[in-house]
Amino acid sequence: MNPSVCFYDYQPAPADMRAEVIHGLSQDQKRIPPKFFYDRRGSRLFDAITELPEYYPTRTEIGILHSHGAEMAEVVGRGALLVELGSGSSLKIRCLLEALEPAVYVPVDISRDHLMESATKLAASFPGLEVHAACADYSVPFGLPVEPNGHDLAAFFPGSSIGNFDPADARHFLERIGTLVGPGGKLLIGVDLVKDSRTLHAAYNDAQGVTADFNLNLLRRINRELEGDFDLATFEHNAFFNADESRIEMHLVSRIEQTVRVAGRGFAFRAGESIHTESSYKYTIEGFQALARQAGFEAARCWTDTKQLFSVHCLRFG
Ligand SMILES: C[S@@+](CC[C@H](N)C(=O)[O-])C[C@H]1O[C@@H](n2cnc3c(N)ncnc32)[C@H](O)[C@@H]1O
């Protein structure tokens, strides 16, 4: 491993996955948190999704970062200790590193192997950068693996992953980021915007079926890691825009009536019954800024693409 990467394993526990999956499958509306999508195969499938013609968010956000990186650096400030939450392939931060010139980069991700590979590649491309990679579940509190040592703190949370939280949970999560960066600390965050439902529908129902494969991979992972016996052929991907809630919902729908065993327990499905696997809330700029204010952040600046598909906000805490 590249010596310029320090790796910290907070060990997001398999026991938690077992408990959370059993709890979720026991609800009237069965649900499994989206963080469990990301085993090694899930992380690779997500990367494939980002390259699909229908999936506008990644290339649009990258376009915004490329176009406005220098302005972002002015508002965020250079030389910070920069924490990226859900860093995945650490692709987007590459657009900003030259402008932001962080003193230290701390990628945080739940997908251990993928994180190690990505952090190592990044450190090789930016040899002067100090990288401290932390495998952790950001949905539960965790401490920074390094001391700020006088550097300002900034967080980067791209990919509209904030949209995976229900609004009340999103507010709590933003509050926790506020605690992490402290008074005056900055958050640069990508947020997908409300738009016509056809564009949204296409983005989560690609013609090649990669999103369906990504969704179904969750069952494959449960079979492997939690002694499950899901028959993947009897489940299908379903994603739709719920306009009342302003969110895309992803589900896995049982085609038949059946009982599935997971971790020694039986879970009955009616034909057509679903597991809700992900929500992706879509915000207006004003709606998101109002949510951020409730969490103690003030809006410093917001950038969008010309088609107003996606937004990147810089927020200041306290
Ligand atoms: C939708 S992908 C976004 C990846 C990348 N940030 C981007 O914008 O393209 C979500 C990333 O967050 C990670 N992730 C999801 N839930 C997480 C959690 N609770 N804690 C830490 N990482 C998480 C996944 O492993 C994945 O790399």
Side-chain angles (χ1 to χ4, degrees), residues 200-316:
L200 286 170
H201 186 270
Y204 294 84
N205 291 281
D206 65 278
Q208 293 172 56
V210 184
T211 312
D213 204 7
F214 172 73
N215 199 4
L216 283 159
N217 184 57
L218 183 57
L219 303 184
R220 192 179 283 113
R221 180 177 188 189
I222 291 172
N223 283 350
R224 188 181 65 244
E225 296 186 26
L226 300 179
E227 310 98 50
D229 68 356
F230 281 103
D231 175 0
L232 272 61
T234 64
F235 283 85
E236 67 190 0
H237 166 76
N238 182 27
F240 57 90
F241 185 56
N242 177 338
D244 291 341
E245 301 285 349
S246 193
R247 69 185 185 203
I248 285 280
E249 291 185 19
M250 283 212 318
H251 292 254
L252 288 164
V253 184
S254 176
R255 297 175 198 268
I256 56 171
E257 185 177 330
Q258 60 179 318
T259 296
V260 177
R261 294 196 72 76
V262 176
R265 310 223 191 162
F267 298 96
F269 285 82
R270 299 182 303 278
E273 188 177 351
S274 77
I275 309 171
H276 185 174
T277 52
E278 185 173 83
S279 293
S280 182
Y281 282 82
K282 309 301 171 189
Y283 288 95
T284 60
I285 289 172
E286 300 71 28
F288 182 72
Q289 289 176 340
L291 178 76
R293 264 196 305 279
Q294 289 170 21
F297 280 96
E298 70 180 66
R301 191 78 194 265
C302 173
W303 299 267
T304 64
D305 57 296
T306 50
K307 291 185 185 158
Q308 301 275 304
L309 294 175
F310 202 91
S311 59
V312 177
H313 298 249
C314 181
L315 308 172
R316 185 183 302 107

Side-chain angles (χ1 to χ4, degrees), residues 37 41 60 82 90 138 148 165 170 177 182 195 198 204 211 224 237 260 267-268 280 293:
F37 281 134
R41 186 166 188 272
T60 309
L82 181 67
S90 280
Y138 61 52
F165 293 97
I177 299 181
K195 60 185 61 64
R198 253 181 68 183
Y204 294 84
T211 312
R224 188 181 65 244
H237 166 76
V260 177
F267 298 96
S280 182
R293 264 196 305 279

Side-chain angles (χ1 to χ4, degrees), residues 158-186:
S160 204
S161 294
I162 192 68
N164 296 153
F165 293 97
D166 287 344
D169 291 337
R171 182 164 65 78
H172 290 134
F173 184 68
L174 290 173
E175 284 168 356
R176 284 213 292 107
I177 299 181
T179 308
L180 187 84
V181 297
K186 309 290 185 343

